[in-house]
């Protein structure tokens, strides 16, 4: 029996979908059977980032309305056999799915897969409620900026009312030079305000955007810092105790490596 | 009416009249005699309002009865009812008082969008994050960081205070007064306490130690009872 993890943030555009795609890919790299569910009905993106857009035949709404079986709607990944995607519908509305239906789908998928990663839409309305209904665990993604931390705080408050484990935090898109000048919130500050466990820190990296546009999650790249961050997060999800490198060290380590190889960052 | 036994004794003091009402007789008799006495004693020719304190002794009166007493006093003369004192109160009233006089401990983080409202004093062990709000009819003590909104003395107790281990609130409210954080970014302060300055109607923040001088009665039961 697997477990379902919802990736949420409250605010839009902080990197939920990218995080979902990369955690899923990283877990698949580690040999786990993973199913990604996109619950952002009407504004689906996860398939694009995974590069699976043109393979979609049926979607979540088709499953909910029992036009097809779950297995028929699952889109297998082009790189891994153990990674599958249940895409969202593009032409329907979020109200087509109910929390009960999501829970049923998640329970069914848990029989088959080790991990179900649910990509939650922005906001705290119907779409959020649907996404959280089927989850056992939650990951909250935030950016190091005030508005995003505020919304993460709100979402954590709502998640605490649900019957799931305490959520874990991913700080996404941190820029080291801005943190150093004090123009960006640093990770310690964010963690102390939100007072939940930190699951990982991902640096702001051009490679992530490049990878998303080409439909190849960055976690597949062996050599970028964001890819390592995502793979570390996946290992922590598996229960390994990978040390949470403070960002200074991480950066320091990378600049050293890059200097050694003569790569310009 | 019993002829030679007075149910109501009227006493005049510098602050007004005191009506002492016998607590052994029936309420109807009291009302009757009160009406009679006040109409007989056309003692007031001047327009000045006189305040009346009614002392009920060991008699319990319901709210309606209290209102009737007030009405009778007001109707007849240029009298205003100041206080109605009674030595007894119901269990409900007593537990209501107790509720207002208690300190409610709470262990949690008050996050954005969450509102905590307690009667009496609030002792929060944890933070109030930006966008979160705590309210209490009495004082608020935060053992943690106060970054959201705190409203002490919600029912109008202007002597309530707000203390926090780390004070960086977006708003402080005490009774009807509101103060907000300055527009420019500021560092918070440690172990400080906000209180209402009566003369200026402004919320001031001072070191926790200084509050002892300003509010020496902060923990006394009587203060809380009267404000409840």
């Amino acid at each position: 029996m697997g477990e379902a993890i919802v990736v949420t943030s409250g605010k839009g555009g902080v990197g939920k979908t990218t995080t979902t795609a990369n955690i899923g890919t990283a877990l698949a790299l580690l040999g786990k059977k993973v199913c990604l569910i996109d619950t952002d009905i009407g504004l689906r993106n996860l398939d694009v980032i995974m590069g699976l857009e043109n393979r979609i035949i049926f979607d979540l709404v088709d499953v909910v309305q029992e036009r097809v079986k779950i297995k028929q709607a699952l889109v297998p990944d082009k790189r891994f056999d153990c990674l599958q995607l249940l895409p969202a519908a593009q032409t329907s509305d979020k109200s087509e799915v109910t929390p009960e239906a999501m829970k049923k789908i998640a329970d069914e998928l848990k029989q088959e897969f080790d991990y179900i990663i649910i990509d939650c839409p922005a906001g705290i309305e119907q779409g959020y409620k649907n996404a959280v209904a089927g989850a056992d665990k939650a990951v909250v993604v935030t950016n190091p900026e005030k508005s995003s931390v505020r919304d993460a705080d709100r979402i954590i408050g709502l998640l605490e009312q649900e019957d799931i484990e305490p959520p874990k935090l991913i700080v996404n898109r941190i820029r080291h030079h801005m943190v150093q000048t004090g123009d960006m919130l640093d990770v310690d500050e964010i963690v102390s305000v939100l007072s939940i466990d930190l699951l990982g820190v991902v640096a702001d990296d051009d490679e992530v955007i490049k990878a998303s546009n080409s439909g190849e999650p960055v976690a597949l790249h062996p050599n970028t810092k964001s890819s390592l961050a995502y793979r570390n997060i996946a290992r922590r999800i598996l229960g390994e105790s990978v040390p949470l490198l403070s960002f200074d060290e991480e950066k320091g380590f990378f600049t050293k490596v890059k200097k050694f190889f003569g790569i310009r960052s | 009416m019993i002829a030679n036994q007075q149910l109501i004794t009227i006493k005049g003091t510098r602050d007004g009249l005191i009506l002492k009402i016998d607590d052994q007789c029936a309420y109807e008799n009291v009302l009757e005699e009160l009406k009679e006495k006040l109409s007989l004693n056309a003692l007031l020719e001047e327009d000045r309002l006189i305040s009346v304190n009614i002392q009920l002794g060991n008699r319990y009166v319901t709210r309606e009865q209290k209102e009737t007493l007030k009405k009778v006093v007001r109707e007849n003369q240029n009298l205003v009812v100041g206080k109605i004192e009674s030595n007894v109160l119901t269990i409900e009233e007593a537990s209501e008082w107790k509720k207002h006089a208690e300190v409610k401990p709470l262990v949690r983080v008050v996050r954005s969008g969450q509102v905590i409202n307690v009667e009496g004093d609030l002792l929060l062990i944890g933070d109030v994050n930006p966008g979160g709000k705590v309210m209490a009819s009495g004082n608020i003590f935060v053992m943690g960081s106060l970054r959201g909104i705190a409203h002490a003395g919600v029912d109008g107790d202007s002597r309530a205070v707000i203390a926090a281990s780390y004070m960086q609130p977006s708003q402080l409210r005490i009774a009807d007064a509101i103060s907000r954080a300055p527009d420019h970014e500021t560092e918070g302060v440690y172990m400080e306490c906000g209180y209402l300055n009566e003369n200026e109607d402004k919320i001031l923040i001072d070191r926790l130690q200084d509050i002892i001088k300003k509010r020496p009665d902060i923990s006394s039961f009587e203060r809380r009872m009267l404000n409840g």
Side-chain angles (χ1 to χ4, degrees):
Chain A
M1 183 96 170
E3 60 182 28
I5 304 173
V6 62
V7 178
T8 182
S9 72
K11 192 174 178 298
V14 297
K16 286 179 295 295
T17 305
T18 312
T19 305
T20 308
N22 282 297
I23 290 178
T25 307
L27 284 169
L29 269 170
L30 292 164
K32 296 291 164 191
K33 287 193 79 180
V34 182
C35 180
L36 307 177
I37 306 180
D38 189 352
T39 59
D40 200 349
I41 292 156
L43 291 167
R44 70 174 180 209
N45 289 148
L46 186 56
D47 51 313
V48 180
I49 288 175
M50 295 299 292
L52 301 173
E53 192 182 10
N54 50 16
R55 298 172 189 226
I56 295 174
I57 299 164
F58 299 112
D59 55 46
L60 182 62
V61 172
D62 290 323
V63 177
V64 169
Q65 295 180 342
E66 293 180 346
R67 280 194 285 270
V68 292
K69 295 249 165 60
I70 291 183
K71 275 197 182 142
Q72 290 172 283
L74 290 179
V75 182
D77 186 66
K78 31 183 172 175
R79 296 148 293 240
F80 302 97
D81 291 334
C82 56
L83 181 61
Q84 310 232 358
L85 168 71
L86 179 56
Q90 188 69 312
T91 49
S92 308
D93 187 75
K94 291 187 171 69
S95 57
E96 307 267 325
V97 180
T98 59
E100 294 76 39
M102 271 308 293
K103 191 157 174 22
K104 207 175 135 222
I105 291 171
D107 284 343
E108 200 174 329
L109 288 170
K110 272 193 272 184
Q111 308 292 333
E112 180 107 356
F113 293 91
D114 299 322
Y115 288 95
I116 322 292
I117 316 285
I118 303 166
D119 183 22
C120 177
I124 52 175
E125 295 86 21
Q126 185 69 39
Y128 158 81
K129 286 175 191 150
N130 288 341
V132 171
D136 309 308
K137 291 182 175 181
V139 170
V140 175
V141 182
T142 187
N143 286 359
E145 54 182 57
K146 268 191 179 173
S147 54
S148 163
V149 173
R150 193 70 45 90
D151 289 0
D153 193 40
R154 178 93 174 95
I155 262 311
I156 295 165
L158 293 173
L159 286 168
E160 280 171 351
Q161 292 165 15
E162 301 286 332
D163 184 25
I164 54 176
E165 286 181 33
K168 300 254 169 75
L169 182 70
I170 292 179
V171 182
N172 197 13
R173 290 211 194 114
I174 200 135
R175 291 192 199 175
H176 185 57
H177 61 276
M178 285 184 76
V179 173
Q180 275 188 326
T181 54
D183 293 326
M184 194 176 252
L185 301 175
D186 70 24
V187 176
D188 290 343
E189 211 176 325
I190 296 167
V191 173
S192 104
V193 169
L194 297 180
S195 53
I196 58 171
D197 290 343
L198 186 61
L199 187 62
V201 180
V202 183
D204 194 25
D205 188 353
D206 294 349
E207 292 298 323
V208 177
I209 300 165
K210 249 204 266 177
S212 293
N213 284 337
S214 63
E216 296 254 324
V218 77
L220 290 167
H221 299 196
N223 53 354
T224 61
K225 49 186 171 179
S226 44
S227 136
L228 181 64
Y230 282 123
R231 276 177 284 152
N232 280 348
I233 288 169
R235 285 168 66 196
R236 286 186 202 112
I237 288 174
L238 293 185
E240 281 181 50
S241 70
V242 186
L244 265 175
L245 299 169
S246 95
F247 195 72
D248 285 337
E249 286 166 347
E250 216 172 301
K251 174 81 183 182
F253 172 68
F254 276 108
T255 30
K256 266 182 226 158
V257 172
K258 280 189 175 154
K259 257 187 196 157
F260 184 74
F261 290 109
I263 307 167
R264 206 170 58 87
S265 66
Chain B
M1 208 189 108
I2 312 147
N4 43 6
Q5 197 186 338
Q6 296 233 330
L7 298 181
I8 300 175
T9 9
I10 302 183
K11 243 199 233 168
T13 67
R14 205 181 305 164
D15 302 324
L17 294 177
I18 295 176
L19 298 186
K20 215 168 174 186
I21 296 174
D22 184 81
D23 53 17
Q24 300 297 318
C25 65
Y27 174 73
E28 283 77 27
N29 296 348
V30 171
L31 216 55
E32 218 170 276
E33 186 172 327
L34 187 65
K35 277 180 190 160
E36 200 174 322
K37 271 230 159 104
L38 291 176
S39 59
L40 274 178
N41 295 348
L43 51 139
L44 306 156
E45 271 141 32
E46 38 190 329
D47 289 335
R48 199 163 66 89
L49 289 175
I50 295 177
S51 109
V52 176
N53 285 352
I54 303 175
Q55 291 181 352
L56 294 167
N58 291 335
R59 176 195 295 277
Y60 176 74
V61 291
T62 63
R63 187 170 295 195
E64 291 86 53
Q65 289 174 331
K66 223 181 232 181
E67 285 306 311
T68 325
L69 277 177
K70 279 188 190 172
K71 221 176 94 196
V72 170
V73 173
R74 281 198 202 113
E75 257 173 17
N76 290 1
Q77 310 279 352
N78 303 341
L79 301 175
V80 280
V81 182
K83 259 196 274 187
I84 299 183
E85 284 169 12
S86 169
N87 293 341
V88 286
L89 73 168
T90 60
I91 291 172
E92 285 107 70
E93 281 173 331
S95 53
E96 188 73 11
W97 269 11
K98 186 162 176 287
K99 223 156 79 185
H100 281 284
E102 269 177 343
V103 179
K104 305 273 164 17
L106 198 64
V107 186
R108 64 176 286 187
V109 179
V110 180
R111 299 184 182 277
S112 177
Q114 296 179 331
V115 180
I116 301 292
N117 193 353
V118 303
E119 288 185 50
D121 290 0
L122 170 67
L123 173 63
L124 179 74
I125 299 164
D127 299 344
V128 182
N129 279 353
K133 189 175 178 186
V134 285
M135 306 198 291
S137 64
N139 305 303
I140 294 175
F141 309 107
V142 180
M143 298 204 48
S145 305
L146 174 56
R147 297 194 183 91
I149 298 174
H151 190 173
V154 168
D155 302 330
D157 178 7
S158 60
R159 288 189 61 80
V161 298
I162 302 168
S165 309
Y166 181 72
M167 188 75 112
Q168 196 187 15
S170 51
Q171 269 185 21
L172 285 185
R173 303 183 188 173
I174 296 174
D176 300 327
I178 299 180
S179 79
R180 62 167 177 82
D183 287 325
H184 54 91
E185 194 112 333
T186 46
E187 285 281 296
V189 285
Y190 288 92
M191 302 300 274
E192 301 234 334
C193 184
Y195 62 97
L196 196 61
N197 188 327
E198 284 97 34
N199 308 327
E200 296 171 58
D201 223 26
K202 235 166 112 183
I203 296 174
L204 302 178
I205 296 185
D206 229 329
R207 280 170 61 235
L208 211 50
Q209 289 82 347
D210 294 331
I211 291 309
I212 303 165
K213 294 168 207 154
K214 300 242 164 56
R215 298 277 189 276
D217 57 347
I218 203 163
S219 61
S220 77
F221 186 70
E222 287 78 13
R223 179 193 70 79
R224 296 196 204 141
M225 275 207 319
L226 293 176
N227 287 323

